[in-house]
Amino acid sequence: MNAQLKPVKYTEGSQQLNGLFIKSAKKSANNPGILLLPAWLGIDNASKGIAEELSKLGYNVFIADIYGEGNYPKNTGDAGKQAGFYKTNFEAYQKRIDAALKELVKSGANADNIVAIGYCFGGTGVLEAARGHLKLKGVASFHGGLGKDASRKTETIDAKVLICHGADDPFVSKEEIASCQQEMRDSKADWQMIYYANSVHSFTNPEAGNDNSKGAAYNPVAAKRSFEHLQLFLNEVLKK
């Protein structure tokens, strides 16, 4: 029988949260785990599909709920406000991510064998998880925001870092990219950044349309390549 996504209720502070967990379809003594941070609209079809694929490959996957009961965005305007809050209040974002990480471990993943991956807003989140020294072997960011406030101190990053970026993404400036790369160097991180041609924001999401001129669009070639790069990263970083 195929593993299925199951709802998980949990809390962070006084906030009720509703995540999803899917166990590995393969037995492993090492119980590798993946924490998945979704895009700015919250848990969506794209994140569910990725979680299911990763389960088939042998990973326990938990999709985090960042916003919580009563705070789910009704539209992109709401999503922008909600995501903006956590991008500014990065410590609150880190706490919300850590709460989901704990649920992944409770669900059976090995606490010493976990990677966090994130898409768009979630891609920003996994970099914050690395900056916040959450207990992760690695993080992978897909078409995420990359920058942090220049006034913030750059600290050592222990988690390995993979950044998958659309070469034509209009929402991430050259300055932000340069700043992120310098941060990676200054933090002594083991990092890699891969660019995908003819790709803009949301290139992994089949529901993003196919019009690059809108700034966000699906690119099936880039989506496939980036998923393969993710698998190489996971094979290197996690014990299967």
Side-chain angles (χ1 to χ4, degrees):
M1 182 179 291
N2 291 333
Q4 293 182 327
L5 285 161
K6 296 181 178 179
V8 178
K9 289 187 178 293
Y10 63 111
T11 58
E12 191 272 307
S14 61
Q15 179 63 58
Q16 174 72 51
L17 300 161
N18 300 289
L20 291 171
F21 174 74
I22 184 167
K23 67 180 180 180
S24 168
K26 302 177 181 179
K27 290 186 178 181
S28 166
N30 294 309
N31 290 323
I34 296 178
L35 178 62
L36 195 159
L37 306 185
W40 69 342
L41 285 170
I43 296 174
D44 55 10
N45 291 330
S47 57
K48 292 176 184 176
I50 290 163
E52 289 168 347
E53 286 299 311
L54 290 169
S55 165
K56 294 174 187 174
L57 294 174
Y59 301 98
N60 300 286
V61 187
F62 189 88
I63 308 178
D65 175 13
I66 299 301
Y67 303 135
E69 195 82 45
N71 300 310
Y72 301 123
K74 297 180 178 64
N75 50 51
T76 55
D78 281 353
K81 291 176 183 176
Q82 290 274 24
F85 170 82
Y86 286 102
K87 287 178 181 178
T88 302
N89 296 276
F90 64 91
E91 290 178 336
Y93 200 2
Q94 290 168 348
K95 286 181 181 178
R96 199 55 59 89
I97 296 166
D98 195 41
L101 179 58
K102 287 180 170 66
E103 291 302 316
L104 173 57
V105 174
K106 285 181 187 176
S107 297
N110 182 343
D112 297 313
N113 200 28
I114 294 175
V115 159
I117 68 174
Y119 299 80
C120 299
F121 170 53
T124 303
V126 297
L127 294 180
E128 287 298 352
R131 292 173 182 133
H133 306 292
L134 272 61
K135 194 174 181 180
L136 297 164
K137 302 298 286 185
V139 301
S141 173
F142 297 81
H143 41 84
L146 305 176
K148 67 176 177 63
D149 191 296
S151 65
R152 288 172 62 186
K153 182 181 177 182
T154 295
E155 299 181 7
T156 300
I157 290 177
D158 298 317
K160 294 186 179 183
V161 179
L162 169 65
I163 299 171
C164 296
H165 186 71
D168 301 325
D169 189 332
F171 299 119
V172 182
S173 68
K174 292 179 181 178
E175 291 77 16
E176 185 174 339
I177 292 170
S179 176
C180 177
Q181 292 182 356
Q182 190 59 50
E183 177 193 0
M184 291 296 110
R185 295 183 183 97
D186 293 342
S187 66
K188 309 300 181 186
D190 178 347
W191 68 285
Q192 53 190 307
M193 184 169 183
I194 303 171
Y195 292 84
Y196 301 95
N198 307 311
S199 300
V200 291
H201 205 63
S202 301
F203 63 80
T204 64
N205 189 346
E207 297 181 356
N210 57 12
D211 185 355
N212 277 17
S213 70
K214 293 183 177 179
Y218 179 54
N219 183 313
V221 173
K224 180 176 182 291
R225 287 175 178 171
S226 64
F227 193 71
E228 290 173 349
H229 286 135
L230 172 63
Q231 290 178 70
L232 289 171
F233 183 71
L234 296 174
N235 288 338
E236 175 189 331
V237 173
L238 296 180
K239 295 177 182 178
K240 291 289 287 285

